[in-house]
Amino acid sequence: MTKPVFRFAPSPNGRLHLGHAYSALLNDALARRFGGRFLLRIEDIDITRCRPEYESAILEDLAWLGLDWEKPVRRQSEHFSDYRSAFERLKGRGLVYPCFCSRKHIAERIEAIEAESGEGWPRDPDGAPLYPGTCKNLSPDEAARRIGSGEAHAWRLDSDAARSRLPGPHGFTRFTPDGATNTVEADPWRWGDAVIVRKDVPTSYHLAVVVDDALQGVTHVVRGQDLEAATDLHVLLQKLLGLGAPLYHHHGLILDSGGDKLAKSRKSEALFELRARGGTAAEIRQRLGFAF
Ligand code: GLU
C-alpha cells in the first residue's frame, strides 16, 4: 500500500508565526500517526511579494522547531509550465475566458450595479464581489485582437460552462486527526468566475495548489480553516482536470490575545522573535499542544 502523503505549503512573503508553526507541526504529527510522508512545498507564485530570504528563513524556522521534510522541496515558481498545461486543458475545453478588467473597473461596475438595483451584489467567501461578467461575452475575435495587441489579461473560470458539464452535487472528504472521515458538501459556484490565471503570474493559487497536490501525490491536506471555503473551488478544478482529490482537514486558527487571526500583515509575533527572546522549540510545541 502506498503511504499517505502530507504537505505544509507556506508562501515566502513574510516570516512564519505561531499559526504556521501549528499547521506545520500538525502535518508532521499526522504524517507520523498515519505512517505517512511529510513534504514541504514553497508557494512562491507571487513573484512581487515572495523573496528568497523569506524562504531561507522558513527553512530555518521549521528546522529549529525540529521538523524534517523530504528533499527536494518543490518550489512553485519553478513549475509554471505544469500550471500552464493544466490551464491549456481547461482552455481547450472552453472552460475559461480572458478578462481585461482592472480591479478598479470591477469595483466601479459593482458600485453602479448596486446603486441601480438598490441591492447588494454577491460576494465570494473572501469578501470580494463576484465578477460581474464584463468580459464574458467578448467575441472570440475581439478577445484575440486584444490579447494580440499585448493588453494585460487574466483568465477566469466560466462557471456557467463548468456548471453545465458538472452540475454537482459537489463535495469533499473531510478527515479528523483520529482518522474518521465524512463527506462535506461543496458549493464551488459561490466563487463565481474565479481567476484561474492571474494577470501578473501565469497561474493562480487555486490552480497551482490542485495541480501540485495531484503531481506530488498528496493524499491528506491539512491547512487552516481560512482555506476551507477555497476547497469548494479546488474540488471543482480537480474534477474539471481529471485529477484525484485528497482528503481534507481544516484546523482551527491560532488567535492572538485580542482574538484576531494571526497574520503576517498584522505583524503578528514571528517565530524568530519568540526565539530571540529566549523561547525554545520545546516551549512552542507545548504551547501549541504538541508536547509529544
Ligand atoms: N500557501 C498557502 C498559505 O500560505 C497555503 C496553501 C494550502 O495549504 O493549500 O496560506
Side-chain angles (χ1 to χ4, degrees):
M1 213 182 86
T2 52
K3 285 184 170 189
V5 180
F6 290 75
R7 90 306 193 266
F8 174 58
S11 297
N13 54 14
R15 298 295 302 245
L16 297 186
H17 53 60
L18 276 180
H20 298 108
Y22 180 76
S23 206
L25 288 166
L26 185 60
N27 266 288
D28 175 68
L30 293 177
R32 283 168 200 277
R33 183 179 295 174
F34 289 30
R37 297 161 51 200
F38 174 57
L39 313 181
L40 172 67
R41 182 167 75 224
I42 298 294
E43 301 212 324
D44 59 347
I45 59 164
D46 197 335
I47 38 196
T48 54
R49 291 172 63 221
C50 293
R51 298 207 209 122
E53 53 273 29
Y54 286 135
E55 182 186 318
S56 331
I58 286 174
L59 303 184
E60 192 182 312
D61 287 343
L62 295 176
W64 176 73
L65 278 173
L67 293 169
D68 194 12
W69 51 89
E70 287 184 20
K71 281 60 173 198
V73 168
R74 186 173 171 94
R75 194 179 289 124
Q76 290 189 322
S77 61
E78 292 169 353
H79 297 279
F80 285 134
S81 60
D82 289 332
Y83 315 132
R84 180 91 211 165
S85 65
F87 158 71
E88 293 292 348
R89 297 212 304 276
L90 296 174
K91 188 165 164 240
R93 298 181 58 209
L95 291 163
V96 287
Y97 63 89
C99 170
F100 303 89
C101 294
S102 63
R103 250 176 240 247
K104 184 163 170 277
H105 170 88
I106 298 173
E108 285 168 1
R109 182 84 197 96
I110 304 292
E111 220 173 281
I113 298 174
E114 288 185 334
E116 205 176 301
S117 68
E119 278 173 35
W121 181 257
R123 295 322 202 233
D124 73 19
D126 285 344
L130 295 191
Y131 181 62
T134 318
C135 291
K136 198 165 187 165
N137 298 314
L138 290 180
S139 72
D141 283 354
E142 164 81 353
R145 187 192 59 72
R146 291 173 73 172
I147 292 173
S149 73
E151 200 175 328
H153 57 284
W155 287 85
R156 291 182 178 273
L157 179 71
D158 184 335
S159 59
D160 298 312
R163 198 170 192 156
S164 67
R165 315 266 174 96
L166 293 173
H170 297 287
F172 61 88
T173 307
R174 173 196 283 158
F175 76 99
T176 57
D178 60 12
T181 57
N182 69 304
T183 303
V184 181
E185 211 179 294
D187 176 11
W189 319 120
R190 59 188 172 138
W191 290 95
D193 286 1
V195 171
I196 298 300
V197 171
R198 288 166 36 166
K199 254 187 197 171
D200 55 340
V201 209
T203 182
S204 61
Y205 157 65
H206 301 298
L207 183 63
V209 84
V210 300
V211 168
D212 280 352
D213 284 340
L215 279 176
Q216 295 190 287
V218 171
T219 57
H220 291 70
V221 170
V222 175
R223 59 186 178 193
Q225 254 162 13
D226 51 342
L227 289 171
E228 183 156 12
T231 305
D232 291 13
L233 182 57
H234 297 175
V235 293
L236 176 69
L237 289 174
Q238 285 154 358
K239 283 192 199 160
L240 292 172
L241 289 164
L243 304 173
L247 310 181
Y248 289 90
H249 174 68
H250 296 99
H251 60 74
L253 300 177
I254 305 289
L255 304 178
D256 64 18
S257 49
D260 285 320
K261 183 184 135 181
L262 298 180
K264 290 167 191 159
S265 52
R266 265 199 293 277
K267 301 246 177 308
S268 298
E269 197 167 41
L271 289 179
F272 81 97
E273 289 166 328
L274 295 169
R275 182 161 78 229
R277 285 201 279 104
T280 65
E283 276 162 15
I284 288 179
R285 281 175 171 263
Q286 182 135 28
R287 181 165 157 193
L288 295 173
F290 294 95
F292 48 85

